[in-house]
Amino acid sequence: ITNYERTVDVGAGSSCPTDSAYQLKIHPGWNMIGNPYPFSVLWDDCSISSDSVGILYYYDPIDGYQLYWNEFDPWKGYWVHNADEDTVIISVLPRQSGLGKQSSSSKKLYTQIASDECLIRFSAHTEAAKDLDNFAGMKEDAAFSRDLYDQPEPPPVGEYVSLFFNHSDWKKHSGRYAVDIQEMNDEGCVWDCAVETRVSNEDVHISWEFINDLPDGWEAYFVDLEDGYSKN
């Protein structure tokens, strides 16, 4: 990095061969990865050796983290999380994606929710930071403990705001989650939600969106545990 006008010669370079899949080693915990090819590929076309690696996270400097991202562009960084204690291999096929980009996030989760199930999207933002993709929901085949529907909250970047569901009570894979899907039941469900930010002297605004209607006879309340305030 320089503030002088200079010509920097870095020599010749080469791209990855495209006669076979390129393998990325994903270590336990959070990993930042990139597309090994000079063209876009789809995350859905990648082969993953374990279910412990779930979705692709893309960080946008304006809108914050985008979940369930599918377009794996070159020259950009992405986050993935490995919940296992062993290394996982992602095989990236040299298959160029079509011209129609999936620019909207959360598409995959939306399509997995049936009409009689529930999904709510929560967002938090300040003037300087956003955290738009956080989901609480109920599904017939989900579990109260961690399953493949639950996705961890990505690591904070810069002047961040972070809304997450706290699962420090889980014996396995405890921590913060951006997606918390619980089992449908007759008694209802409770999500322990928290908000943190490094932005000082600004209000944090929280909003929610019902992806589909609640089951008949059900209601949802957002409760502030500190002052007892609740909103239907």
Side-chain angles (χ1 to χ4, degrees):
I1 301 175
T2 177
N3 60 352
Y4 296 101
E5 291 187 8
R6 298 287 179 88
T7 298
V8 180
D9 184 6
V10 296
S14 62
S15 61
C16 296
T18 57
D19 56 350
S20 61
Y22 186 90
Q23 293 188 338
L24 299 172
K25 292 183 178 180
I26 308 301
H27 301 286
W30 286 102
N31 295 251
M32 179 171 275
I33 61 174
N35 179 357
Y37 306 115
F39 51 84
S40 297
V41 298
L42 294 180
W43 179 248
D44 287 344
D45 288 339
C46 298
S47 175
I48 306 175
S49 63
S50 172
D51 290 337
S52 63
V53 172
I55 64 175
L56 187 68
Y57 297 74
Y58 172 61
Y59 180 79
D60 184 280
I62 297 176
D63 291 332
Y65 279 103
Q66 312 290 299
L67 276 62
Y68 302 95
W69 202 255
N70 195 34
E71 192 78 12
F72 205 11
D73 289 331
W75 320 117
K76 293 183 179 180
Y78 301 86
W79 287 97
V80 291
H81 184 267
N82 179 8
D84 205 344
E85 296 180 355
D86 299 321
T87 300
V88 173
I89 301 298
I90 297 179
S91 297
V92 186
L93 295 176
R95 181 184 302 164
Q96 187 169 5
S97 65
L99 296 178
K101 281 192 174 184
Q102 178 192 319
S103 58
S104 61
S105 60
S106 317
K107 179 178 178 182
K108 185 172 294 186
L109 181 62
Y110 284 19
T111 59
Q112 293 176 346
I113 300 296
S115 59
D116 59 343
E117 297 173 336
C118 174
L119 182 65
I120 308 173
R121 180 191 186 197
F122 289 91
S123 300
H125 73 273
T126 69
E127 290 294 328
K130 297 179 182 178
D131 183 10
L132 303 180
D133 276 352
N134 306 274
F135 298 91
M138 298 183 295
K139 282 184 60 65
E140 292 287 353
D141 58 344
F144 279 110
S145 58
R146 185 185 185 276
D147 58 23
L148 295 179
Y149 294 117
D150 303 318
Q151 304 295 338
E153 175 76 358
V157 176
E159 296 294 307
Y160 71 90
V161 60
S162 175
L163 185 151
F164 57 88
F165 304 103
N166 184 15
H167 276 297
S168 57
D169 57 320
W170 284 353
K171 293 183 178 179
K172 191 174 183 181
H173 304 303
S174 62
R176 302 176 173 187
Y177 283 80
V179 182
D180 183 8
I181 308 300
Q182 300 184 18
E183 182 184 7
M184 292 283 292
N185 67 95
D186 295 333
E187 301 297 325
C189 294
V190 175
W191 290 267
D192 183 7
C193 175
V195 177
E196 289 184 357
T197 181
R198 274 191 65 184
V199 180
S200 59
N201 301 320
E202 286 189 15
D203 292 334
V204 176
H205 300 271
I206 301 173
S207 59
W208 48 86
E209 170 193 6
F210 285 84
I211 306 305
N212 54 0
D213 294 333
L214 290 172
D216 290 340
W218 286 62
E219 291 186 328
Y221 289 88
F222 193 85
V223 182
D224 187 325
L225 297 182
E226 291 189 2
D227 60 15
Y229 170 80
S230 66
K231 182 172 180 59
N232 188 327

